[in-house]
Amino acid sequence: MIKQLSQRLLGPVTLLLLVLTFWLGLWVTPPDRIQGNLVRMLYVHPAVAWVALYVSFGTATIASVLYLWKRTRSGTLDRVAHCAMEVSVVFIVLTLITGSIWGRPTWGVWWAWDARLTSTAILGVLAIGYLALRRANDDPVLRARRSAVFAIVSAINVPIIHFSVQWWKTLHQGATVFTSNRQLLVHGSMAWTLLLSFLGFTLLFFWLLRARYRLEVLREETQRATLDLALEMRQREGAR
Amino acid sequence: MIRTAWLVAKKDLLIERRSRVLLWQVVPFGAIALLLSGLALGPTHAGHSSAGPGLFYLVMLFVALLMINRSYVIESTPGTRASVQTLGLDPAGVFLGKSLALCVELWLSGLVLLAGTVLVLHTALHGALLALPSVLVTLAAMAAAGTLYGALTAGGEGAATLLPVLTLPAFAPLLVAGERSFSAALTHSGLWEWWLILAVALVAYVGVGILLYGVLEES
């Protein structure tokens, strides 16, 4: 009952949170003292990056680890990893696009050879590579194993991206929301809008993941039904 | 594990010695790629160029891709993988053996191409010799990573084209760290952080390979 209700509410709540984020971000919050109206892009970019790097890639990695662990191995986990990685590609591309739109007026360029930008782009290529690897193997068990190993190895890049602003001198700013002492740097309506955007985009990920998962299950069922039908037709031909 | 590693490495190196693909195909490819890199820079910029270390590693990266592909093609004869599996060899040992063989092949090609960089791109000999330890560590890390990625793509549809897509992003940090440590050797300045990255990458790839190679080889 609760599960069904939460599944039904996921879409409308996500939509509501995103509409609220855009309304607060575009009309209610004040312009920044230094950045002016450009700050409004920051109600989208960090939340999208959070989903791309940690939520979706993290989900794919955890599902892959659990798949490789013999006690928890199941086709569901492989499907979750695959679907999460597909959604991850969308969010990584969005991260790069929103970052570029913010970077052009701020840094003067669409793209800079910055450690965080480059490592994020590499993560995008790795996620696309994961999808390519899945397409290259027809055997479902081999495909699941190989893609799980690749997802785990690719996840090494996530901490590199996270700490890149500390390890190297980068154009990309460091921690913006919290200081190293965990003190909040953003206040008032700006903080609330930022929080809503993180919640909204996280829920959007889960909504997309659920939709993509259902689509994958349906695709597999159709494939199985088509195969059964072909076998049945062949048997009938043989009987004649 | 060590015994299996030694056996697998010996087998791969013997195949390479008999087929001479490294000598007659891979090294000449690397040499022509290095020459073309010099031509791409233009005659006025090629000599004593600061791009020398970067070009050396770029060419090595292409050479590594060829060698990784080759390392799995020699096992593509029908039944080879199945017979290796039925022998019950320790997968960690197989991974280490294949990595070791690939590493030796990359070291040999690297030495020839390093000499080529000194000759063609006029990179200082003393600097190149100072950079040699970091070059060996970088190529060893490439061998470990390449063995793992090679196993991921082996036998799959379009394995030869898929391999670069999966491997190049993993090689990117190695390329950057290798180039920076080579450049530091040329300018006689120590860049220990790049050395550290290379060492961590080598340990990480060997560790991950030992842990996960068995999963890829499971029947």
Side-chain angles (χ1 to χ4, degrees):
Chain A
M1 175 73 179
I2 295 170
K3 195 182 167 190
Q4 273 185 339
L5 192 71
S6 61
Q7 279 177 354
R8 276 189 185 176
L9 283 176
L10 185 60
V13 171
T14 305
L15 188 69
L16 181 75
L17 283 176
L18 289 177
V19 168
L20 259 174
T21 303
F22 282 99
W23 174 64
L24 287 168
L26 289 174
W27 287 285
V28 177
T29 53
D32 183 67
R33 196 157 50 97
I34 299 162
Q35 294 184 53
N37 281 320
L38 206 58
V39 76
R40 299 183 197 285
M41 184 53 96
L42 299 185
Y43 300 123
V44 177
H45 177 68
V48 167
W50 149 260
V51 174
L53 301 185
Y54 308 108
V55 183
S56 54
F57 215 93
T59 306
T61 309
I62 291 167
S64 299
V65 171
L66 290 174
Y67 178 83
L68 288 185
W69 197 24
K70 280 180 181 167
R71 280 187 192 178
T72 49
R73 188 172 289 177
S74 76
T76 308
L77 285 166
D78 176 51
R79 244 176 264 132
V80 168
H82 173 208
C83 299
M85 198 62 91
E86 268 192 15
V87 180
S88 181
V89 171
V90 174
F91 276 93
I92 292 170
V93 171
L94 279 176
T95 305
L96 293 171
I97 291 172
T98 52
S100 277
I101 294 170
W102 183 83
R104 180 70 180 89
T106 315
W107 301 337
V109 283
W110 293 102
W111 175 264
W113 288 104
D114 174 89
R116 180 162 275 188
L117 269 68
T118 315
S119 49
T120 308
I122 286 174
L123 191 75
V125 180
L126 285 169
I128 292 168
Y130 174 94
L131 300 179
L133 181 64
R134 287 194 75 90
R135 293 184 75 88
N137 291 288
D138 291 328
D139 177 11
V141 177
L142 194 68
R143 179 175 59 209
R145 267 187 209 154
R146 286 185 171 187
S147 46
V149 169
F150 185 67
I152 295 166
V153 178
S154 303
I156 297 171
N157 205 26
V158 175
I160 294 178
I161 297 171
H162 182 86
F163 292 109
S164 59
V165 287
Q166 291 170 28
W167 290 345
W168 294 287
K169 284 175 191 161
T170 58
L171 202 56
H172 195 286
Q173 73 257 41
T176 313
V177 183
F178 291 100
T179 62
S180 52
N181 304 325
R182 302 214 170 169
Q183 282 185 324
L184 197 63
L185 284 169
V186 188
H187 303 281
S189 61
M190 285 175 148
W192 284 109
T193 312
L194 205 59
L195 180 71
L196 274 179
S197 76
F198 273 83
L199 272 174
F201 280 106
T202 306
L203 287 183
L204 179 66
F205 162 75
F206 285 110
W207 184 75
L208 285 172
L209 179 67
R210 187 171 161 264
R212 182 63 190 87
Y213 184 88
R214 284 170 69 187
L215 195 69
E216 186 62 20
V217 171
L218 286 172
R219 193 191 63 80
E220 281 174 17
E221 278 174 10
T222 314
Q223 208 172 23
R224 230 173 285 136
T226 315
L227 189 69
D228 288 345
L229 191 71
L231 282 171
E232 204 182 302
M233 282 170 72
R234 199 64 194 238
Q235 277 171 348
R236 273 186 207 164
E237 274 176 25
R240 272 184 223 159
Chain B
M1 185 172 77
I2 302 295
R3 196 178 132 74
T4 308
W6 179 242
L7 278 172
V8 172
K10 212 169 126 183
K11 183 251 316 170
D12 276 14
L13 288 171
L14 267 175
I15 292 174
E16 221 40 70
R17 207 180 89 177
R18 283 174 190 158
S19 67
R20 306 199 184 222
V21 169
L22 181 75
L23 184 67
W24 295 113
Q25 290 175 24
V26 179
V27 172
F29 163 78
I32 193 75
L34 203 63
L35 273 172
L36 286 176
S37 307
L39 287 176
L41 278 180
T44 46
H45 298 291
H48 305 287
S49 168
S50 59
L55 292 177
F56 165 75
Y57 273 111
L58 194 65
V59 172
M60 274 316 298
L61 208 135
F62 294 137
V63 166
L65 284 177
L66 282 182
M67 292 311 301
I68 298 162
N69 200 34
R70 167 98 188 123
S71 169
Y72 285 92
V73 162
I74 57 173
E75 284 176 10
S76 64
T77 320
T80 310
R81 282 174 83 87
S83 27
V84 170
Q85 282 168 354
T86 46
L87 280 172
L89 295 174
D90 181 6
V94 177
F95 167 77
L96 279 179
K98 288 201 85 64
S99 300
L100 186 65
L102 189 60
C103 183
V104 171
E105 288 160 18
L106 285 177
W107 280 355
L108 290 173
S109 328
L111 286 175
V112 175
L113 293 176
L114 197 63
T117 312
V118 173
L119 281 172
V120 181
L121 300 175
H122 304 174
T123 303
L125 177 65
H126 184 62
L129 288 175
L130 278 177
L132 194 60
S134 79
V135 169
L136 297 179
V137 176
T138 312
L139 297 182
M142 272 188 189
T147 305
L148 189 64
Y149 286 100
L152 281 171
T153 54
E157 204 178 304
T161 41
L162 184 62
L163 182 70
V165 177
L166 303 188
T167 317
L168 290 180
F171 279 177
L174 300 175
L175 180 89
V176 174
E179 189 275 330
R180 293 304 300 267
S181 54
F182 195 157
S183 298
L186 288 176
T187 53
H188 303 285
S189 57
L191 273 177
W192 287 105
E193 58 187 271
W194 298 108
W195 259 96
L196 189 71
I197 289 172
L198 287 170
V200 168
L202 175 61
V203 173
Y205 276 116
V206 170
V208 170
I210 287 173
L211 280 173
L212 297 178
Y213 197 78
V215 178
L216 299 171
E217 294 288 299
E218 267 178 43
S219 58

